[in-house]
Amino acid sequence: MNNLEDYIINNDATLLQAMDIINSNKAKIALIVNNDGRLLGTITDGDIRRAILKRKDLQTLAKEIMNKDFFATGIDKDYKNIQKIIVEKGISYVPVLDNNDKLVDLLSFNNIKEKKSSEVSVIIMAGGKGTRLKPYTDNCPKPMIKVCGKPMLELILEKCIASGFSKFYFSVNYLKEQIISYFGDGKVWDVDIKYLIEDKPLGTAGSLSLFKEFNEEPILVINGDVLTTFDFNKMLDFHLKNNLDATLAVREEYLKFPYGVVEIDGIKLKSFQEKPILKKLVNAGVYVLSKKLFSYIKNNTFSDMPDLLSYAKLNNGSVGVFPLHEYWIDIGRPETLEKAHKEWDELNNV
């Protein structure tokens, strides 16, 4: 593989630096080497997500979460035998080491993995009024607001198509004619687009009651105002491997208090923190839902996704959390719309 340096970090690199490497290369892997070039461990996309769930700080040393028990091969190994092993292990890239364990190459077996996303239906929630984006939404549905010359909804559609999806359902209500007129049946994009038409606003979960065309695959649901670079197939794999009823994508948000925070014990000072930073996981507006979840939704009744997931939990449903570390932005306010204009084109033309 060319440009091996695009995959390498030193053993004193931070988790943040590992994330940058993983997000910028095709293999989505970071290879940690010492000063002599000897491979010490690997960090994959999954390792990063597990670290986020464990609330690891981004300045944590990457070697603290690296996988030391990685699979590698030597220069003179039989690649056909390697191919058989990696199919069994479900991996796509294999480091190549010399006799001194120094990294010399990274083999790609990506063509072995077969995408199943073409069997999965994608529902994109495009029915909201976008009141926080007024006056942009006075005469334009929020998903049709342009970012880098294209409607947000088209950017989401293109991202899904690039990941192998081809069956789409747009949930529409406010100024729905503009969306239906622009996208039609999807033939321009060589995909199939159908519409879940709300006679009244039903919320991010209520409109799902209009979906009836189930197969054995889970359903991918995406908010129509979210732009992200993460691969939806990874979330689908996570959902299926963990046998979940629902999976919620989350991301870390950092909130800085503008004041010193005081905790008390009665009338006495317990602790004092000067302008602390609060780190929380927040809803990223992307979901994977199994058919079971749809049975909880009442017809023609307003409900939002937190209501549905909470109800599933109360009924012993298995609801998983999938942390994402890739680029993500919720275009719900004028300032985030302006931010998206500056960032999205650059991200997709690296």
Side-chain angles (χ1 to χ4, degrees):
M1 177 176 290
N2 296 325
N3 300 319
L4 190 59
E5 62 272 15
D6 293 341
Y7 303 85
I8 293 174
I9 57 175
N10 199 269
N11 62 350
D12 60 356
T14 64
L15 186 56
L16 180 61
Q17 290 171 311
M19 286 171 57
D20 289 340
I21 285 286
I22 289 171
N23 287 334
S24 64
N25 66 52
K26 293 180 180 179
K28 304 304 177 188
I29 191 172
L31 306 173
I32 300 180
V33 300
N34 65 9
N35 293 333
D36 296 325
R38 187 167 63 88
L39 183 62
L40 303 178
T42 65
I43 297 180
T44 63
D45 180 84
D47 296 319
I48 294 290
R49 298 188 201 281
R50 284 186 286 274
I52 292 173
L53 286 179
K54 292 177 181 178
R55 314 316 302 272
K56 292 286 187 180
D57 188 270
L58 294 182
Q59 296 307 311
T60 299
L61 291 180
K63 63 184 178 184
E64 292 185 20
I65 70 159
M66 72 181 179
N67 175 24
K68 299 178 183 178
D69 187 27
F70 54 84
F71 177 72
T73 185
I75 298 174
D76 301 322
K77 297 293 183 182
D78 182 355
Y79 288 171
K80 287 186 178 180
N81 187 47
I82 295 169
Q83 195 168 353
K84 179 181 177 182
I85 294 171
I86 69 138
V87 167
E88 293 173 354
K89 289 180 174 288
I91 56 180
S92 301
Y93 294 88
V94 178
V96 180
L97 311 179
D98 66 13
N99 294 331
N100 296 313
D101 289 336
K102 289 185 178 180
L103 182 67
V104 295
D105 202 356
L106 183 66
L107 298 178
S108 168
F109 292 89
N110 224 16
N111 58 321
I112 295 172
K113 297 187 77 175
E114 182 180 348
K115 287 187 180 294
K116 295 182 179 179
S117 49
S118 60
E119 301 301 318
V120 173
S121 295
V122 181
I123 300 177
I124 303 178
M125 313 305 292
K129 290 186 176 181
T131 53
R132 291 181 299 165
L133 274 172
K134 284 181 172 292
Y136 299 102
T137 53
D138 284 343
N139 299 296
C140 177
K142 180 167 64 169
M144 294 301 291
I145 293 176
K146 291 186 177 180
V147 174
C148 301
K150 289 185 179 181
M152 284 189 280
L153 187 52
E154 186 173 5
L155 296 177
I156 297 171
L157 177 67
E158 290 176 343
K159 177 72 173 63
C160 292
I161 293 171
S163 296
F165 299 94
S166 59
K167 296 190 292 187
F168 296 89
Y169 295 80
F170 292 172
S171 177
V172 295
N173 174 249
Y174 178 65
L175 299 177
K176 59 183 178 292
E177 296 80 10
Q178 292 186 34
I179 296 174
I180 296 172
S181 175
Y182 187 90
F183 290 97
D185 59 7
K187 286 185 179 178
V188 171
W189 293 267
D190 197 27
V191 296
D192 181 48
I193 297 176
K194 296 179 181 178
Y195 298 90
L196 308 177
I197 299 176
E198 305 173 56
D199 294 327
K200 63 179 182 179
L202 294 175
T204 52
S207 63
L208 297 178
S209 66
L210 301 171
F211 179 79
K212 305 296 182 184
E213 300 183 31
F214 295 98
N215 55 29
E216 296 304 313
E217 300 295 332
I219 310 299
L220 177 64
V221 180
I222 306 171
N223 286 358
D225 56 1
V226 166
L227 294 181
T228 180
T229 59
F230 99 92
D231 185 352
F232 301 121
N233 285 292
K234 293 183 182 296
M235 189 171 171
L236 277 169
D237 290 341
F238 175 86
H239 177 88
L240 293 169
K241 286 178 181 177
N242 290 282
N243 194 30
L244 297 167
D245 294 319
T247 301
L248 163 69
V250 299
R251 66 185 302 274
E252 281 191 325
E253 278 289 329
Y254 296 84
L255 303 174
K256 185 174 182 179
F257 281 82
Y259 311 105
V261 173
V262 175
E263 291 188 11
I264 60 173
D265 182 7
I267 64 169
K268 294 183 179 180
L269 176 68
K270 184 177 180 180
S271 66
F272 186 94
Q273 286 183 288
E274 181 62 26
K275 299 180 181 178
I277 297 176
L278 184 64
K279 182 169 64 172
K280 290 290 185 181
L281 294 175
V282 300
N283 181 8
V286 183
Y287 315 86
V288 179
L289 305 178
S290 297
K291 183 179 179 180
K292 175 181 176 180
L293 266 289
F294 287 76
S295 65
Y296 298 146
I297 305 170
K298 295 181 179 179
N299 289 330
N300 206 37
T301 302
F302 185 95
S303 66
D304 278 326
M305 198 62 75
D307 303 319
L308 175 61
L309 298 181
S310 297
Y311 187 80
K313 285 283 292 177
L314 288 173
N315 286 270
N316 298 316
S318 54
V319 180
V321 172
F322 181 82
L324 58 95
H325 55 83
E326 298 86 345
Y327 179 84
W328 175 94
I329 189 168
D330 174 357
I331 306 175
R333 305 183 308 278
E335 57 268 32
T336 54
L337 175 60
E338 183 179 350
K339 189 169 185 273
H341 278 298
K342 294 177 180 178
E343 296 174 344
W344 189 252
D345 189 56
E346 180 181 346
L347 280 166
N348 288 275
N349 288 283
V350 174

